[in-house]
Amino acid sequence: MKYLGMILLCFSLWAEAQETTLEVGILLANHGQGKGYRELFNRFEAQQPEIQVRLRAYTDQEYKQKLLHWVETRQGPDVFYWQAGERLFELARGNSIRSLNPLWQDAGWETRFSPAIKALMTENGQVYALPFAFYQWGFYYSKPVFERLGLEAPATWNEFTQVAESLKQHGLDAITIGTKFDWPAAAWFDYLNLRINGLAFYQSLLAGKVSYTDPKVRRVLDTWKTLIDAEYFVAAHSTLTWLQAMPELYRKQAGMTLIGNFVESKIPQQKQTEIGFFPFPEIDSSIPRYELMPMEVFVLADWSTKAEQAYTLLKFLAEPETQRTLATGLGYIPATSEGRGEVSRLSQEGVKLLKVSQGLMQYFDRDTKQAFSRKAVPVLSRFLREPDVDATLQALEALRLAHQ
């Protein structure tokens, strides 16, 4: 028995030595998401008992501070959550994350994800992330209000302004929005640029290669200003968060709002069928359709010494069933088309948009340098309160030059 005990002890120590612990950094919007992640990684551990996952979970502000610390100290999780676009490429240029080209080439990811999605992770021929979920932006509107006034979802800018004017004439706020924390205003700048100037110009602008005093940017603000001057936006928007602005739709006091489909999880269950969706209208028929679709991704830290085990985890996170579980728990849309069979009615609108879009953007603060966007987004928000085109263009240009 003595020898058996020694054998069992040695076996236990050997088994522990064979286990690898991977640290995974995640951002949580609520406690329910944490439970969902833990259940998912429990399933992974059951499939791969030699790999244990230790979660490091933080709220939004905590996560961004922690990420800065990880990058500065080159110590942190092996695999961690981040966002596609310029924010991703800043990490790549700083040698904080590794290229995942081997997985894209050998794990079947090329056929699992669309070229448009892959492009959001790619710079200089290197693919730096695994996409797992996305959400679309567009207009959510009150179907009962539209039906009562005989309005239809507009497809063109002329139709959109007619709808807005009709809503106003009937004593309603045409557009509800909450800019207390500034960032919702940036979606208007994004979409007006995409619809008026197209993808290539807007990417150059956000990359700092074009002056904000360019006549094309002026046209964007002039177009936006016509809506502000017509008083189509809810007057108290600067005192409201985006979530506080939504009840205007439920109470039939406003007609529509431009927001991302993360709003879906916040719509009261009894109001779900009353909310419809339409894409941002066409302004110039010669401009192809481009959309805002922020993409959620996982990356492999350059400082990780466990690349082989991290590859195993990333392959698991790329599986359609895993992506479906993750995206559903977060209220988003799976990045792989094979996992979208059960997405909700409003999320299906994002699937449709992805199919027809000829190019994708992330969002103003994700597609520009973080140091620039932190100061530029409040300028765009202020424009909704004080629509001074010249002052806004000059302020944005000064910021561009300061962050070259």
Side-chain angles (χ1 to χ4, degrees):
M1 292 294 293
K2 178 180 179 181
Y3 292 112
L4 178 60
M6 292 179 63
I7 291 171
L8 290 173
L9 176 61
C10 290
F11 179 79
S12 176
L13 293 173
W14 175 85
E16 286 185 21
Q18 305 314 302
E19 288 184 358
T20 297
T21 298
L22 279 178
E23 291 199 345
V24 177
I26 57 173
L27 185 155
L28 299 181
N30 56 59
H31 293 299
Q33 290 182 355
K35 181 181 178 183
Y37 270 115
R38 186 63 266 174
E39 290 174 351
L40 187 71
F41 288 120
N42 284 345
R43 199 171 83 207
F44 170 76
E45 290 172 342
Q47 295 178 14
Q48 305 287 339
E50 74 284 0
I51 304 175
Q52 299 298 301
V53 175
R54 180 181 299 151
L55 287 180
R56 296 173 65 169
Y58 306 95
T59 62
D60 185 80
Q61 285 303 114
E62 291 174 335
Y63 192 88
K64 290 171 182 175
Q65 292 171 359
K66 287 290 183 182
L67 180 58
L68 289 174
H69 178 70
W70 300 337
V71 168
E72 289 171 359
T73 62
R74 297 191 64 77
Q75 295 180 348
D78 301 283
V79 173
F80 58 91
Y81 157 86
W82 200 224
Q83 298 152 348
E86 179 61 22
R87 285 186 176 180
L88 175 69
F89 301 140
E90 283 184 355
L91 289 183
R93 294 183 206 117
N95 297 316
S96 297
I97 56 177
R98 297 186 191 180
S99 166
L100 296 183
N101 276 27
L103 287 174
W104 277 88
Q105 293 165 1
D106 303 332
W109 292 4
E110 290 283 356
T111 58
R112 187 162 286 173
F113 303 101
S114 72
I117 287 178
K118 180 185 176 184
L120 299 173
M121 344 260 120
T122 305
E123 186 173 66
N124 297 325
Q126 301 299 311
V127 194
Y128 287 101
L130 163 69
F132 68 91
F134 71 93
Y135 55 95
Q136 89 275 9
W137 275 74
F139 282 96
Y140 291 78
Y141 69 98
S142 171
K143 291 164 69 175
V145 167
F146 272 50
E147 290 168 5
R148 177 167 59 86
L149 301 182
L151 303 175
E152 295 184 359
T156 66
W157 190 248
N158 185 51
E159 292 172 356
F160 177 80
T161 55
Q162 289 176 7
V163 166
E165 182 62 25
S166 180
L167 290 164
K168 178 186 175 183
Q169 292 300 319
H170 285 86
L172 303 173
D173 289 318
I175 305 164
T176 184
I177 185 174
T179 60
K180 184 175 182 179
F181 297 125
D182 296 323
W183 60 265
W188 283 90
F189 190 72
D190 280 336
Y191 259 121
L192 288 170
N193 263 290
L194 289 176
R195 294 292 185 262
I196 292 171
N197 298 317
L199 184 65
F201 175 85
Y202 194 42
Q203 287 177 327
S204 295
L205 180 70
L206 295 186
K209 299 176 181 178
V210 177
S211 170
Y212 278 84
T213 59
D214 188 289
K216 291 184 177 181
V217 186
R218 176 176 291 276
R219 185 185 169 200
V220 166
L221 293 189
D222 285 340
T223 303
W224 195 2
K225 189 175 187 297
T226 62
L227 303 182
I228 301 168
D229 290 345
E231 299 181 341
Y232 291 150
F233 292 93
V234 58
H237 62 82
S238 62
T239 68
L240 304 173
T241 66
W242 70 266
L243 192 55
Q244 291 169 333
M246 288 302 296
E248 280 224 333
L249 288 186
Y250 316 146
R251 297 167 185 159
K252 305 175 183 60
Q253 297 169 339
M256 50 193 173
T257 186
L258 178 62
I259 199 72
N261 86 326
F262 49 81
V263 74
E264 184 180 343
S265 63
K266 305 298 183 182
I267 300 174
Q269 192 62 39
Q270 66 273 24
K271 298 293 183 180
Q272 289 275 342
T273 59
E274 295 184 0
I275 303 299
F277 176 90
F278 63 87
F280 199 99
E282 174 188 280
I283 296 179
D284 184 339
S285 60
S286 69
I287 300 290
R289 177 170 290 282
Y290 304 116
E291 300 295 342
L292 283 183
M293 289 194 178
M295 194 72 54
E296 312 292 82
V297 305
F298 282 111
V299 296
L300 173 57
D302 187 64
W303 54 78
S304 175
T305 59
K306 306 164 186 174
E308 183 179 346
Q309 293 84 356
Y311 279 0
T312 301
L313 176 61
L314 289 167
K315 289 177 183 178
F316 170 79
L317 292 170
E319 293 175 3
E321 179 59 23
T322 304
Q323 297 228 333
R324 186 195 64 75
T325 301
L326 256 182
T328 300
L330 296 172
Y332 298 157
I333 304 166
T336 171
S337 60
E338 300 163 277
R340 298 178 193 151
E342 301 176 22
V343 300
S344 67
R345 174 182 63 87
L346 289 173
S347 291
Q348 281 290 350
E349 299 295 337
V351 176
K352 295 176 186 176
L353 282 186
L354 179 62
K355 290 180 179 178
V356 301
S357 176
Q358 297 186 44
L360 304 177
M361 293 289 287
Q362 291 301 279
Y363 197 77
F364 186 89
D365 61 347
R366 296 190 182 195
D367 280 319
T368 53
K369 295 177 181 177
Q370 292 187 63
F372 169 83
S373 68
R374 277 195 292 269
K375 296 181 178 179
V377 170
V379 172
L380 297 175
S381 180
R382 185 171 65 243
F383 184 75
L384 263 176
R385 303 189 302 274
E386 304 167 14
D388 186 323
V389 173
D390 287 326
T392 301
L393 293 174
Q394 291 166 11
L396 291 171
E397 177 61 8
L399 288 173
R400 183 186 76 91
L401 294 174
H403 292 89
Q404 291 281 58

